[in-house]
Amino acid sequence: MERTAGKELALAPLQDWGEETEDGAVYSVSLRRQRSQRLSPAEGTGGSQAPSPIANTFLHYRTSKVRVLRAARLERLVGELVSGDREQDPSFVPAFLATYRTFVPTAHLLGFLLPPMPPPPPPGVEIKKTAIQDLSFNKNLRAVVSVLGSWLQDHPQDFRDPPAHSDLGSVRTFLGWAAPGSAEARKAEKLLEDFLEEAKREQEEEVTSGVDRTSQSCPNF
């Protein structure tokens, strides 16, 4: 069937493909089509006639597979958070941070997410690493720091655990080591200050309220 010049064949940019299972994780799979325009092979470089834009171009579609993690063990979900996979669904991290508390406490998730910090070296001893080790280590750290930054920004109340706010304290300590002076570290510091200041105000209000009730109950002589 001949297609009218100037009209394009419409193809859905995203098409459901089904599901895949890998190492116990379940992914939904879609095919993403990206359109590009290329010159027709019939066009020559030495031709005397100017090529027609419609006659001498054709549509070309590149297809890539997009996988979205739907179900897995917590360890695998945390690994997906910091994987940096280019094919990862961009909504995965915000969706996970918005829903994780329905199946796991914040402290439990942090136990999987935060890598152990190495012990400080003895005085006068410098720990040396190869360039490759440093690159891999820093890449992993950057991914964790990025997730923590989004978490602190979008769901700060997840870290409210009075009176000590121990989960936030763990995050603050980690960021102070992994990304000192960063926006994420400053955000953790500010959030802890806000929580402590709020607790202080509430305590002062309770004391004031108690004094008022006592003065009202005392008889006047």
Side-chain angles (χ1 to χ4, degrees):
M1 181 177 67
E2 186 176 354
R3 192 158 52 92
T4 304
K7 291 187 177 180
E8 301 174 358
L9 179 63
L11 294 175
L14 199 65
Q15 177 184 352
D16 291 335
W17 188 253
E19 288 188 347
E20 289 183 355
T21 302
E22 179 181 307
D23 298 333
V26 179
Y27 296 84
S28 64
V29 181
S30 302
L31 297 181
R32 175 182 291 150
R33 294 187 178 91
Q34 294 177 311
R35 191 182 69 180
S36 62
Q37 196 173 47
R38 293 186 176 181
L39 295 176
S40 167
E43 181 183 351
T45 58
S48 58
Q49 293 182 345
S52 168
I54 296 178
N56 293 296
T57 59
F58 67 97
L59 294 176
H60 177 75
Y61 286 86
R62 292 188 307 162
T63 302
S64 59
K65 184 169 69 172
V66 180
R67 301 201 309 174
V68 180
L69 186 60
R70 293 301 185 193
R73 295 178 62 86
L74 180 60
E75 298 93 323
R76 183 62 179 270
L77 293 173
V78 172
E80 192 78 6
L81 283 176
V82 298
S83 68
D85 187 353
R86 293 182 178 180
E87 296 183 354
Q88 184 190 73
D89 176 17
S91 67
F92 175 76
V93 172
F96 180 87
L97 294 178
T99 59
Y100 78 91
R101 295 199 70 168
T102 60
F103 57 88
V104 63
T106 297
H108 195 178
L109 176 56
L110 287 174
F112 283 99
L113 181 62
L114 299 182
M117 294 184 292
V125 176
E126 181 180 357
I127 298 178
K128 297 182 179 180
K129 298 179 181 179
T130 66
I132 296 178
Q133 288 175 327
D134 284 340
L135 179 62
S136 174
F137 185 66
N138 291 337
K139 181 180 178 181
N140 292 338
L141 283 182
R142 286 196 300 268
V144 175
V145 169
S146 176
V147 170
L148 290 174
S150 298
W151 197 354
L152 291 166
Q153 177 67 35
D154 298 335
H155 306 282
Q157 295 304 315
D158 288 359
F159 300 96
R160 181 191 295 276
D161 183 24
H165 307 287
S166 56
D167 293 338
L168 182 55
S170 298
V171 171
R172 174 175 168 268
T173 300
F174 170 78
L175 290 174
W177 165 73
S182 65
E184 292 83 2
R186 293 195 302 270
K187 193 176 299 181
E189 292 279 0
K190 181 63 166 58
L191 186 59
L192 183 58
E193 290 176 4
D194 291 344
F195 284 165
L196 295 177
E197 182 63 27
E198 181 180 340
K200 182 179 178 181
R201 289 197 304 268
E202 291 176 352
Q203 185 177 12
E204 291 174 350
E205 290 175 359
E206 289 179 359
V207 171
T208 302
S209 177
V211 171
D212 291 342
R213 287 195 299 269
T214 301
S215 62
Q216 292 175 4
S217 63
C218 290
N220 294 325
F221 294 98

